[in-house]
Amino acid sequence: MSQLEWAESQLAEIELLSSMYPTESEFEITDQVALAELRESVESPCSDAPPHHSRPQFLLRQRVDTSCHGGVDLTLSCTFPFDYPNVLPEINVRCTDLNRAQQTRLQADLTVYLRENCRGEVCVLTAVEWLKDNAQHYVDPTSSSSDSSAAAVTGGGGAEVFSRLWIYSHHIYNKNKRKNILEWSKELGLSGFSMPGKPGIVCVEGPHGACEEFWSRLKVLTWKKIMIRHREDMTLEEGRGQADDEGGVASLRKFSGFEEASFDPHGNRGNHMDLGLLYQFLSERGCCEVFQMYFGVEGR
Protein backbone atom coordinates (compact mmCIF):
# COMPACT_ATOMS: atom_id res chain seq x y z
CA MET A 1 0.00 0.00 0.00
CA SER A 2 1.11 3.56 -0.67
CA GLN A 3 1.23 6.27 2.00
CA LEU A 4 -1.96 7.75 0.56
CA GLU A 5 -3.69 4.37 0.85
CA TRP A 6 -2.55 4.11 4.48
CA ALA A 7 -4.10 7.50 5.18
CA GLU A 8 -7.32 6.58 3.36
CA SER A 9 -7.66 3.37 5.38
CA GLN A 10 -7.11 5.22 8.65
CA LEU A 11 -9.67 7.90 7.86
CA ALA A 12 -12.22 5.35 6.66
CA GLU A 13 -11.86 3.35 9.88
CA ILE A 14 -12.21 6.42 12.09
CA GLU A 15 -15.34 7.50 10.20
CA LEU A 16 -16.78 3.99 10.54
CA LEU A 17 -16.11 3.98 14.29
CA SER A 18 -17.66 7.42 14.73
CA SER A 19 -20.82 6.24 12.95
CA MET A 20 -21.03 3.04 15.01
CA TYR A 21 -20.37 4.86 18.29
CA PRO A 22 -21.96 8.30 17.82
CA THR A 23 -21.74 9.62 21.39
CA GLU A 24 -18.61 11.06 22.96
CA SER A 25 -19.07 8.73 25.92
CA GLU A 26 -18.39 5.84 23.51
CA PHE A 27 -15.96 7.31 20.99
CA GLU A 28 -13.80 10.36 21.63
CA ILE A 29 -11.13 11.88 19.36
CA THR A 30 -8.37 13.09 21.66
CA ASP A 31 -6.16 14.72 19.00
CA GLN A 32 -8.32 16.78 16.67
CA VAL A 33 -5.29 18.41 15.01
CA ALA A 34 -3.88 15.05 13.93
CA LEU A 35 -7.29 14.04 12.57
CA ALA A 36 -7.54 17.30 10.60
CA GLU A 37 -4.07 16.73 9.12
CA LEU A 38 -5.01 13.18 8.19
CA ARG A 39 -8.23 14.34 6.53
CA GLU A 40 -6.39 17.03 4.58
CA SER A 41 -3.78 14.56 3.33
CA VAL A 42 -6.60 12.37 1.97
CA GLU A 43 -8.94 15.02 0.60
CA SER A 44 -6.30 17.38 -0.79
CA PRO A 45 -3.32 15.24 -1.76
CA CYS A 46 -0.38 17.17 -3.17
CA SER A 47 2.63 15.53 -4.71
CA ASP A 48 4.88 18.41 -3.56
CA ALA A 49 3.83 18.08 0.09
CA PRO A 50 5.77 15.81 2.43
CA PRO A 51 4.01 12.59 3.43
CA HIS A 52 1.71 12.94 6.39
CA HIS A 53 3.08 11.89 9.77
CA SER A 54 0.02 12.62 11.86
CA ARG A 55 -0.88 10.15 14.59
CA PRO A 56 -4.65 10.24 15.16
CA GLN A 57 -5.62 9.33 18.71
CA PHE A 58 -8.97 8.36 20.18
CA LEU A 59 -10.69 6.57 23.06
CA LEU A 60 -13.23 3.81 22.55
CA ARG A 61 -15.29 2.81 25.58
CA GLN A 62 -17.15 -0.48 25.76
CA ARG A 63 -19.28 -2.33 28.29
CA VAL A 64 -18.43 -6.02 28.00
CA ASP A 65 -20.56 -8.79 29.50
CA THR A 66 -18.82 -11.24 31.84
CA SER A 67 -20.18 -14.07 33.92
CA CYS A 68 -18.23 -13.11 37.05
CA HIS A 69 -19.07 -9.42 37.49
CA GLY A 70 -22.12 -9.06 35.27
CA GLY A 71 -20.07 -6.83 32.98
CA VAL A 72 -16.99 -4.62 33.02
CA ASP A 73 -16.15 -1.26 31.46
CA LEU A 74 -13.18 -1.27 29.10
CA THR A 75 -11.47 1.76 27.59
CA LEU A 76 -9.32 1.32 24.49
CA SER A 77 -6.79 4.10 23.99
CA CYS A 78 -5.78 3.94 20.31
CA THR A 79 -3.08 5.70 18.32
CA PHE A 80 -2.51 5.17 14.61
CA PRO A 81 1.13 5.22 13.46
CA PHE A 82 1.37 7.03 10.13
CA ASP A 83 2.03 3.69 8.34
CA TYR A 84 -0.94 1.85 9.88
CA PRO A 85 -2.35 -0.61 8.76
CA ASN A 86 1.04 -1.73 7.47
CA VAL A 87 1.96 -1.93 11.17
CA LEU A 88 -0.29 -2.54 14.15
CA PRO A 89 -1.89 0.41 15.92
CA GLU A 90 -0.99 1.24 19.50
CA ILE A 91 -3.92 -0.09 21.54
CA ASN A 92 -3.87 0.07 25.34
CA VAL A 93 -6.77 -1.41 27.30
CA ARG A 94 -7.75 -0.06 30.70
CA CYS A 95 -10.23 -1.63 33.12
CA THR A 96 -10.70 -0.74 36.78
CA ASP A 97 -12.10 -4.23 37.50
CA LEU A 98 -8.79 -5.90 36.61
CA ASN A 99 -5.77 -6.03 38.85
CA ARG A 100 -2.35 -5.26 37.40
CA ALA A 101 -1.48 -8.88 36.60
CA GLN A 102 -4.82 -9.52 34.89
CA GLN A 103 -4.57 -6.35 32.83
CA THR A 104 -0.99 -7.09 31.80
CA ARG A 105 -1.99 -10.58 30.69
CA LEU A 106 -5.01 -9.31 28.75
CA GLN A 107 -2.92 -6.64 27.01
CA ALA A 108 -0.24 -9.15 26.03
CA ASP A 109 -2.74 -11.69 24.72
CA LEU A 110 -4.60 -9.08 22.67
CA THR A 111 -1.35 -7.92 21.11
CA VAL A 112 -0.37 -11.48 20.19
CA TYR A 113 -3.79 -12.09 18.65
CA LEU A 114 -3.65 -8.93 16.52
CA ARG A 115 -0.07 -9.62 15.47
CA GLU A 116 -0.99 -13.12 14.28
CA ASN A 117 -4.28 -12.24 12.60
CA CYS A 118 -4.42 -8.60 11.50
CA ARG A 119 -1.09 -7.46 10.08
CA GLY A 120 -1.77 -5.31 7.02
CA GLU A 121 -5.47 -4.83 7.82
CA VAL A 122 -7.44 -2.33 9.88
CA CYS A 123 -8.14 -4.00 13.20
CA VAL A 124 -9.77 -1.82 15.86
CA LEU A 125 -13.14 -3.55 15.50
CA THR A 126 -11.34 -6.90 15.52
CA ALA A 127 -9.77 -5.91 18.85
CA VAL A 128 -13.20 -4.94 20.22
CA GLU A 129 -14.71 -8.28 19.19
CA TRP A 130 -11.78 -10.17 20.74
CA LEU A 131 -12.31 -8.32 24.01
CA LYS A 132 -16.04 -9.09 23.98
CA ASP A 133 -15.28 -12.78 23.49
CA ASN A 134 -12.37 -13.06 25.92
CA ALA A 135 -12.65 -10.45 28.68
CA GLN A 136 -14.46 -12.92 30.91
CA HIS A 137 -11.33 -15.11 30.99
CA TYR A 138 -9.39 -12.35 32.75
CA VAL A 139 -12.03 -11.18 35.23
CA ASP A 140 -11.48 -14.36 37.22
CA PRO A 141 -11.79 -14.44 41.00
CA THR A 142 -9.19 -17.21 41.19
CA SER A 143 -6.62 -14.75 39.84
CA SER A 144 -7.18 -12.33 42.71
CA SER A 145 -5.07 -12.27 45.82
CA SER A 146 -8.04 -11.31 48.00
CA ASP A 147 -9.07 -13.44 50.95
CA SER A 148 -12.46 -14.19 49.43
CA SER A 149 -10.84 -15.52 46.26
CA ALA A 150 -8.48 -17.69 48.22
CA ALA A 151 -11.45 -19.08 50.13
CA ALA A 152 -13.20 -19.91 46.87
CA VAL A 153 -10.21 -21.94 45.70
CA THR A 154 -9.93 -23.93 48.90
CA GLY A 155 -13.64 -24.39 49.51
CA GLY A 156 -13.89 -21.71 52.18
CA GLY A 157 -12.60 -23.78 55.09
CA GLY A 158 -9.08 -24.74 54.13
CA ALA A 159 -10.19 -27.98 52.41
CA GLU A 160 -8.63 -28.91 49.09
CA VAL A 161 -10.72 -28.74 45.94
CA PHE A 162 -11.10 -31.18 43.07
CA SER A 163 -12.19 -29.53 39.81
CA ARG A 164 -13.60 -30.57 36.48
CA LEU A 165 -13.62 -28.08 33.60
CA TRP A 166 -15.79 -28.52 30.52
CA ILE A 167 -14.24 -26.37 27.79
CA TYR A 168 -15.88 -25.46 24.50
CA SER A 169 -14.05 -24.25 21.38
CA HIS A 170 -15.50 -23.20 18.03
CA HIS A 171 -13.16 -25.81 16.54
CA ILE A 172 -9.96 -27.73 17.26
CA TYR A 173 -8.01 -28.62 14.11
CA ASN A 174 -4.42 -27.51 14.67
CA LYS A 175 -2.04 -30.42 15.29
CA ASN A 176 0.18 -28.40 17.63
CA LYS A 177 -2.77 -27.42 19.80
CA ARG A 178 -3.94 -31.02 19.94
CA LYS A 179 -0.42 -32.07 20.94
CA ASN A 180 -0.28 -29.37 23.63
CA ILE A 181 -3.59 -30.51 25.11
CA LEU A 182 -2.33 -34.08 25.42
CA GLU A 183 1.09 -33.13 26.78
CA TRP A 184 -0.16 -30.53 29.28
CA SER A 185 -2.81 -32.86 30.70
CA LYS A 186 -0.18 -35.55 31.24
CA GLU A 187 2.31 -33.08 32.73
CA LEU A 188 -0.29 -31.73 35.19
CA GLY A 189 -1.69 -35.13 36.14
CA LEU A 190 -5.15 -34.44 34.75
CA SER A 191 -7.64 -36.94 33.41
CA GLY A 192 -10.41 -36.32 30.88
CA PHE A 193 -10.59 -36.16 27.10
CA SER A 194 -10.45 -33.87 24.10
CA MET A 195 -12.61 -34.10 20.99
CA PRO A 196 -11.08 -32.41 17.94
CA GLY A 197 -13.16 -31.09 15.06
CA LYS A 198 -16.03 -28.61 15.02
CA PRO A 199 -17.00 -27.94 17.72
CA GLY A 200 -14.03 -28.83 19.87
CA ILE A 201 -14.52 -30.12 23.41
CA VAL A 202 -11.97 -30.53 26.19
CA CYS A 203 -12.67 -31.90 29.67
CA VAL A 204 -9.97 -31.90 32.33
CA GLU A 205 -10.33 -33.03 35.93
CA GLY A 206 -7.97 -33.12 38.87
CA PRO A 207 -6.58 -30.82 41.58
CA HIS A 208 -8.00 -27.32 41.28
CA GLY A 209 -4.62 -25.65 40.81
CA ALA A 210 -3.61 -28.04 38.02
CA CYS A 211 -6.90 -27.44 36.19
CA GLU A 212 -6.44 -23.68 36.44
CA GLU A 213 -2.88 -23.96 35.15
CA PHE A 214 -4.10 -26.02 32.19
CA TRP A 215 -6.79 -23.43 31.40
CA SER A 216 -4.36 -20.50 31.72
CA ARG A 217 -2.08 -22.13 29.14
CA LEU A 218 -4.87 -23.15 26.78
CA LYS A 219 -6.82 -19.91 26.60
CA VAL A 220 -3.87 -17.77 25.48
CA LEU A 221 -3.43 -19.77 22.28
CA THR A 222 -5.07 -18.30 19.19
CA TRP A 223 -8.72 -19.37 19.07
CA LYS A 224 -11.74 -18.19 17.12
CA LYS A 225 -13.71 -18.80 20.33
CA ILE A 226 -12.96 -20.73 23.49
CA MET A 227 -14.66 -20.69 26.89
CA ILE A 228 -15.37 -22.75 29.99
CA ARG A 229 -18.92 -23.94 29.35
CA HIS A 230 -19.30 -25.57 32.77
CA ARG A 231 -17.17 -26.23 35.80
CA GLU A 232 -17.50 -28.50 38.82
CA ASP A 233 -15.63 -27.82 42.06
CA MET A 234 -15.83 -30.41 44.83
CA THR A 235 -14.34 -30.05 48.30
CA LEU A 236 -12.43 -33.09 49.44
CA GLU A 237 -14.00 -34.30 52.65
CA GLU A 238 -11.85 -34.73 55.74
CA GLY A 239 -10.18 -38.12 55.73
CA ARG A 240 -10.29 -38.54 51.95
CA GLY A 241 -6.83 -37.16 51.37
CA GLN A 242 -5.48 -34.06 49.68
CA ALA A 243 -6.14 -32.86 46.14
CA ASP A 244 -2.59 -33.75 45.11
CA ASP A 245 -2.90 -37.22 46.66
CA GLU A 246 -4.11 -39.61 43.94
CA GLY A 247 -5.62 -41.93 46.53
CA GLY A 248 -7.76 -39.06 47.82
CA VAL A 249 -9.23 -38.08 44.46
CA ALA A 250 -9.59 -41.42 42.68
CA SER A 251 -13.25 -41.76 43.61
CA LEU A 252 -14.00 -38.31 42.17
CA ARG A 253 -12.49 -38.97 38.76
CA LYS A 254 -14.87 -39.92 35.96
CA PHE A 255 -12.02 -40.64 33.54
CA SER A 256 -9.16 -43.08 34.10
CA GLY A 257 -6.67 -41.07 32.08
CA PHE A 258 -6.59 -38.45 29.34
CA GLU A 259 -7.26 -39.29 25.69
CA GLU A 260 -8.12 -37.65 22.40
CA ALA A 261 -11.48 -39.15 21.46
CA SER A 262 -13.01 -39.33 17.98
CA PHE A 263 -16.57 -40.41 17.26
CA ASP A 264 -16.99 -41.57 13.66
CA PRO A 265 -15.58 -38.43 11.96
CA HIS A 266 -17.49 -37.44 8.82
CA GLY A 267 -18.12 -34.45 6.56
CA ASN A 268 -16.07 -33.04 3.69
CA ARG A 269 -13.08 -32.41 5.94
CA GLY A 270 -13.74 -35.22 8.37
CA ASN A 271 -14.20 -32.64 11.12
CA HIS A 272 -17.71 -33.44 12.37
CA MET A 273 -18.31 -36.09 15.01
CA ASP A 274 -21.26 -38.39 15.61
CA LEU A 275 -22.91 -36.65 18.57
CA GLY A 276 -24.88 -39.77 19.40
CA LEU A 277 -21.63 -41.61 20.04
CA LEU A 278 -20.36 -38.65 22.08
CA TYR A 279 -23.51 -38.81 24.22
CA GLN A 280 -22.98 -42.54 24.75
CA PHE A 281 -19.35 -41.89 25.74
CA LEU A 282 -20.43 -39.26 28.29
CA SER A 283 -23.29 -41.39 29.59
CA GLU A 284 -20.97 -44.33 30.26
CA ARG A 285 -18.92 -42.03 32.50
CA GLY A 286 -21.84 -40.49 34.32
CA CYS A 287 -21.61 -37.14 32.52
CA CYS A 288 -24.63 -37.25 30.21
CA GLU A 289 -26.14 -34.05 31.65
CA VAL A 290 -23.22 -32.09 30.19
CA PHE A 291 -24.40 -32.89 26.65
CA GLN A 292 -27.36 -30.54 26.99
CA MET A 293 -25.10 -27.80 28.39
CA TYR A 294 -22.99 -27.99 25.24
CA PHE A 295 -25.65 -28.48 22.59
CA GLY A 296 -28.91 -27.25 24.14
CA VAL A 297 -30.72 -30.56 23.57
CA GLU A 298 -31.00 -33.78 25.51
CA GLY A 299 -28.94 -36.63 24.15
CA ARG A 300 -30.24 -40.05 23.32
Side-chain angles (χ1 to χ4, degrees):
M1 296 177 69
S2 66
Q3 293 182 353
L4 178 58
E5 289 173 321
W6 292 340
E8 290 172 341
S9 295
Q10 293 175 32
L11 184 60
E13 185 171 29
I14 289 173
E15 290 178 342
L16 174 62
L17 292 169
S18 65
S19 66
M20 292 179 63
Y21 307 104
T23 67
E24 191 169 297
S25 63
E26 299 173 293
F27 181 74
E28 178 185 358
I29 299 293
T30 55
D31 191 336
Q32 294 287 349
V33 173
L35 177 59
E37 292 175 348
L38 174 65
R39 190 180 303 278
E40 183 178 6
S41 70
V42 171
E43 297 177 351
S44 303
C46 177
S47 58
D48 295 331
H52 88 92
H53 287 277
S54 58
R55 290 168 53 87
Q57 300 175 20
F58 57 87
L59 300 176
L60 183 59
R61 302 179 181 92
Q62 286 284 290
R63 179 74 177 175
V64 176
D65 292 333
T66 62
S67 58
C68 296
H69 289 230
V72 295
D73 293 314
L74 299 178
T75 298
L76 285 73
S77 175
C78 304
T79 301
F80 287 168
F82 82 94
D83 48 352
Y84 168 73
N86 188 53
V87 299
L88 290 178
E90 299 170 13
I91 299 180
N92 294 300
V93 183
R94 300 195 297 270
C95 177
T96 57
D97 291 301
L98 299 180
N99 61 36
R100 181 175 299 179
Q102 291 168 327
Q103 186 153 317
T104 298
R105 192 166 69 249
L106 180 148
Q107 183 73 52
D109 294 347
L110 172 61
T111 301
V112 169
Y113 179 81
L114 295 179
R115 184 182 300 125
E116 293 180 351
N117 294 276
C118 300
R119 186 64 64 89
E121 301 177 0
V122 295
C123 63
V124 175
L125 286 176
T126 300
V128 172
E129 290 303 313
W130 186 90
L131 289 167
K132 288 180 178 178
D133 289 340
N134 293 279
Q136 62 181 345
H137 304 326
Y138 301 87
V139 188
D140 182 356
T142 61
S143 298
S144 172
S145 59
S146 66
D147 293 340
S148 60
S149 297
V153 172
T154 61
E160 297 290 340
V161 172
F162 178 91
S163 295
R164 185 176 299 113
L165 306 183
W166 295 93
I167 299 167
Y168 168 88
S169 173
H170 179 271
H171 64 263
I172 301 176
Y173 299 144
N174 185 277
K175 291 182 179 179
N176 288 330
K177 291 178 183 176
R178 292 164 64 179
K179 181 181 178 182
N180 285 337
I181 289 170
L182 291 170
E183 291 181 347
W184 291 341
S185 61
K186 180 178 180 180
E187 174 191 342
L188 296 168
L190 300 173
S191 49
F193 77 99
S194 64
M195 185 186 81
K198 181 180 180 180
I201 294 175
V202 180
C203 172
V204 289
E205 59 177 10
H208 177 89
C211 288
E212 292 299 320
E213 174 62 22
F214 178 90
W215 172 239
S216 69
R217 297 182 189 182
L218 187 67
K219 68 184 180 183
V220 298
L221 302 179
T222 302
W223 301 95
K224 182 171 183 179
K225 183 173 185 178
I226 193 166
M227 63 185 297
I228 296 177
R229 179 73 78 182
H230 178 60
R231 71 179 301 143
E232 304 167 60
D233 293 314
M234 294 150 278
T235 302
L236 289 169
E237 298 173 1
E238 186 176 355
R240 294 181 62 182
Q242 299 296 309
D244 57 356
D245 174 7
E246 190 56 37
V249 301
S251 63
L252 296 176
R253 292 187 185 270
K254 294 184 180 290
F255 301 89
S256 57
F258 193 94
E259 62 177 317
E260 182 177 272
S262 296
F263 305 98
D264 190 19
H266 59 279
N268 293 335
R269 297 176 58 186
N271 58 2
H272 293 280
M273 300 295 175
D274 185 321
L275 298 185
L277 294 178
L278 170 62
Y279 177 79
Q280 181 180 340
F281 174 82
L282 294 173
S283 182
E284 290 172 353
R285 289 156 180 79
C287 306
C288 57
E289 71 283 354
V290 175
F291 188 90
Q292 186 171 12
M293 297 178 187
Y294 272 108
F295 302 105
V297 296
E298 294 184 3
R300 58 182 180 181

